[in-house]
Amino acid sequence: MKFDFKEFKNNLLEKKSPDEILKVAESANLKKTLNAFDLIMLGIGAVIGTGIFTIIGIAAAGGPESVGAGPALIVSMIIAMLACLFSALCYSEFASMIPVAGSSYTYTYATMGEFMAWMIGWVLMLEYAIGNITVASAWSGYFFEFLKGFSHILPSWLVNPPAYLVNDYRTAVSIYQNSGLDPAVEIPRLFGVIPIAINIPAIILVLIITLLLVRGIRESARTATIMVFIKLAVIFMFIFAGMFYVKPENWTPFMPNGFEGVISGAFIIFFAYIGFDAISTAAEETKNPQRNLPIGLIGTLAICTVVYILTSLVLTGIVPVEKINIMAPISAAMSATGNNWIAGFISIGALAGLTSVLLVYQLGTTRILYAMSRDGFLPKSLQIIHKKYNTPHVITWVSGIIVVLGALFMDLNVSAELCNFGTFTSFTIVCIAVLILRKTDPNRHRPFKVPFVPFFPILGILFCGGLMIYSLFTLGTSAILFPLWVIIGVIFYFAYCYGNIRKIKKENSSL
């Protein structure tokens, strides 16, 4: 058979009209139960978590492959917030216009065609799944910090378990080496060859969250709301108690590593903002989405930005930058003031915060994969809806197992950076997509419009694209793994997706 390049090109660029996307979504039978308040709670549940309880320390003090912003972290936060703000406005326009599961994947399909839709979906898998691994790992660390407060009551094996049972392999090796122990001796091996290092608490948490999501979106939203109130109460306790221990001299030098530190901090702290876009993945389960989705997206971003800036001011005011604990910065800062009981409450808030983040990330993962399966990029079996709970339970379990497997070998820093690369890509694409659809379909009804087009979308592209390109040249492991992930996505598309979609369309045309 002769290869038809023109047909091949047209297939790659074939778009799905917003009307077609909406028609398919109407037959999905997902319950519409969420209101604007629920969406803001889901958004805060996703955004305020790992970033404020863990990543904020790395952004301020620096990490293995990056320099810290110091007290200028508030400038880094404003840069990251602006990148999110312009993207959030673009998300709001699309979410109100095409309220279906799939987030930026769906919006890309409507504007750039099949191939780009798959690539964005593939990158979103990286963003959410790897983000889940990051959160689960951080949760495990805070969980054992919390248990240490009960060391006089609980058995030693529970408070101080072997490092290879509560960490991934790379982290366990690092812990043993820093303790002067030989990892080859301390870490057992299966068949004398395969090292056994399993983060058991993280795996158990992921399985519990997966079970909750199978039960239903409403139950998940209620759980997220409870967790949000707990962690906000703890964070404000830190802000109001910590402000009395702030020493202004700790804010000088304000920018110890210059503008490089500020940009590096902006890239890292961007992880703290990831999650607000997960609101749009619940579009098909939202009541009056044209009104509630924009409120949920922009309301989440506004609340979280205020909380972040206040927290960073207090943190860098209490502890000199060089003494910030990068694993548990907030609780360690409060312990340094002598208020150990407050530090204990912060650990509880951290556990609640990280749990809610994991819940919303896992929700985002399943809804995006569900939409991609519905379009033929993934096997049809993943679309199956639970007869009792009306949730996509098969894809929920598949995504949960993927996170469990990833938690076996991914460490927190690299997975956080990879998650950032995925998010920057999807945010940039959504800003471009708004400009495209304004040109190709200017008369479509838009319940919410991005103001000052094309300037705001272009600013979103410059902020997100600029931070991503800068980081590709300054980071190490993640800057190699992200392009590799993109290449694997291209291979998978041509090996499976392209042919499967053509097969489905041929079957439908013959009916």
Side-chain angles (χ1 to χ4, degrees):
M1 184 182 293
K2 185 179 179 182
F3 177 72
D4 190 333
F5 178 77
K6 185 177 180 180
E7 181 184 0
F8 174 72
K9 183 188 73 171
N10 290 339
N11 288 335
L12 295 184
L13 300 176
E14 186 176 0
K15 303 171 186 175
K16 292 187 72 173
S17 73
D19 294 327
E20 181 184 356
I21 294 171
L22 289 169
K23 184 177 180 180
V24 172
E26 287 175 0
S27 61
N29 297 320
L30 296 176
K31 287 184 178 179
K32 293 185 180 294
T33 59
L34 303 179
N35 55 34
F37 177 78
D38 292 327
L39 292 174
I40 290 177
M41 290 299 103
L42 280 173
I44 296 175
V47 175
I48 296 183
T50 314
I52 201 167
F53 289 113
T54 303
I55 303 299
I56 192 173
I58 299 171
E65 298 182 354
S66 62
V67 295
L73 178 60
I74 60 171
V75 180
S76 300
M77 285 183 167
I78 292 172
I79 293 173
M81 181 273 293
L82 288 173
C84 290
L85 175 62
F86 298 124
S87 301
L89 292 171
C90 294
Y91 266 97
S92 296
E93 177 165 316
F94 268 116
S96 64
M97 185 171 48
I98 314 175
V100 301
S103 186
S104 54
Y105 154 75
T106 301
Y107 312 149
T108 305
Y109 214 151
T111 54
M112 300 182 193
E114 181 180 301
F115 176 70
M116 281 301 298
W118 160 255
M119 291 309 301
I120 288 301
W122 183 251
V123 168
L124 284 173
M125 285 190 232
L126 179 75
E127 174 188 342
Y128 286 110
I130 298 297
N132 284 342
I133 295 168
T134 308
V135 176
S137 300
W139 187 94
S140 183
Y142 264 101
F143 179 69
F144 283 101
E145 285 295 321
F146 173 71
L147 289 184
K148 286 178 182 177
F150 301 92
S151 57
H152 59 292
I153 301 174
L154 298 173
S156 178
W157 63 266
L158 181 60
V159 178
N160 295 295
Y164 64 84
L165 292 180
V166 294
N167 291 283
D168 60 272
Y169 176 71
R170 289 180 61 181
T171 303
V173 168
S174 178
I175 290 172
Y176 284 125
Q177 288 176 340
N178 292 338
S179 301
L181 300 173
D182 185 358
V185 175
E186 301 296 330
I187 300 176
R189 293 178 178 270
L190 185 64
F191 307 120
V193 179
I194 305 172
I196 301 174
I198 305 173
N199 193 330
I200 294 177
I203 290 172
I204 293 174
L205 175 64
V206 170
L207 294 176
I208 292 173
I209 293 295
T210 302
L211 280 170
L212 182 62
L213 286 170
V214 168
R215 288 295 302 271
I217 183 71
R218 186 66 184 174
E219 291 77 6
S220 303
R222 286 172 179 167
T223 303
T225 299
I226 294 170
M227 298 295 180
V228 165
F229 279 117
I230 292 173
K231 66 183 176 183
L232 284 181
V234 167
I235 289 169
F236 281 116
M237 180 187 295
F238 168 76
I239 291 171
F240 289 120
M243 62 189 294
F244 294 102
Y245 297 93
V246 168
K247 298 178 181 178
E249 57 267 28
N250 287 336
W251 289 332
T252 56
F254 181 70
M255 201 180 290
N257 292 305
F259 194 65
E260 179 186 358
V262 171
I263 297 299
S264 177
F267 176 83
I268 295 169
I269 205 63
F270 188 82
F271 184 84
Y273 284 96
I274 291 174
F276 77 84
D277 57 316
I279 294 172
S280 63
T281 67
E284 286 183 46
E285 292 146 290
T286 300
K287 295 183 289 187
N288 192 8
Q290 288 79 10
R291 170 185 175 273
N292 290 330
L293 284 168
I295 292 174
L297 285 161
I298 298 172
T300 295
L301 192 59
I303 293 171
C304 293
T305 298
V306 172
V307 172
Y308 280 168
I309 290 177
L310 291 175
T311 303
S312 64
L313 282 171
V314 173
L315 173 64
T316 55
I318 293 177
V319 186
V321 172
E322 65 275 7
K323 294 183 179 180
I324 290 178
N325 183 318
I326 62 174
M327 293 304 295
I330 295 178
S331 58
M334 195 49 64
S335 294
T337 67
N339 293 286
N340 291 321
W341 66 275
I342 296 180
F345 275 112
I346 290 172
S347 294
I348 296 174
L351 290 173
L354 296 172
T355 302
S356 66
V357 172
L358 185 61
L359 189 151
V360 182
Y361 274 22
Q362 197 75 343
L363 171 67
T365 305
T366 58
R367 282 2 180 217
I368 289 168
L369 293 178
Y370 174 78
M372 295 175 72
S373 172
R374 194 162 59 189
D375 290 332
F377 289 110
L378 297 171
K380 188 176 181 180
S381 58
L382 300 180
Q383 304 173 41
I384 299 173
I385 300 293
H386 198 284
K387 293 182 180 179
K388 181 179 179 181
Y389 302 125
N390 293 109
T391 57
H393 63 293
V394 174
I395 193 63
T396 300
W397 276 113
V398 169
S399 61
I401 292 170
I402 290 173
V403 174
V404 165
L405 294 175
L408 297 177
F409 61 88
M410 292 292 296
D411 65 49
L412 187 145
N413 288 333
V414 173
S415 55
E417 291 167 0
L418 278 173
C419 188
N420 276 0
F421 279 121
T423 307
F424 278 129
T425 302
S426 61
F427 282 12
T428 302
I429 291 297
V430 168
C431 292
I432 295 172
V434 163
L435 295 176
I436 292 175
L437 202 61
R438 285 288 186 99
K439 186 73 174 177
T440 59
D441 196 356
N443 297 322
R444 176 167 292 278
H445 175 60
R446 291 169 168 81
F448 177 89
K449 284 188 174 184
V450 179
F452 304 110
V453 171
F455 301 109
F456 275 16
I458 289 174
L459 285 172
I461 295 167
L462 292 176
F463 271 103
C464 294
L467 283 170
M468 182 172 67
I469 293 171
Y470 173 84
S471 301
L472 279 171
F473 289 100
T474 56
L475 295 176
T477 305
S478 59
I480 297 172
L481 291 178
F482 178 68
L484 180 61
W485 177 262
V486 172
I487 292 170
I488 293 173
V490 173
I491 295 172
F492 188 87
Y493 171 80
F494 288 111
Y496 174 80
C497 304
Y498 183 85
N500 191 57
I501 292 173
R502 306 285 83 74
K503 178 183 176 182
I504 291 173
K505 290 186 176 182
K506 186 177 180 179
E507 290 174 351
N508 292 338
S509 64
S510 62
L511 293 178

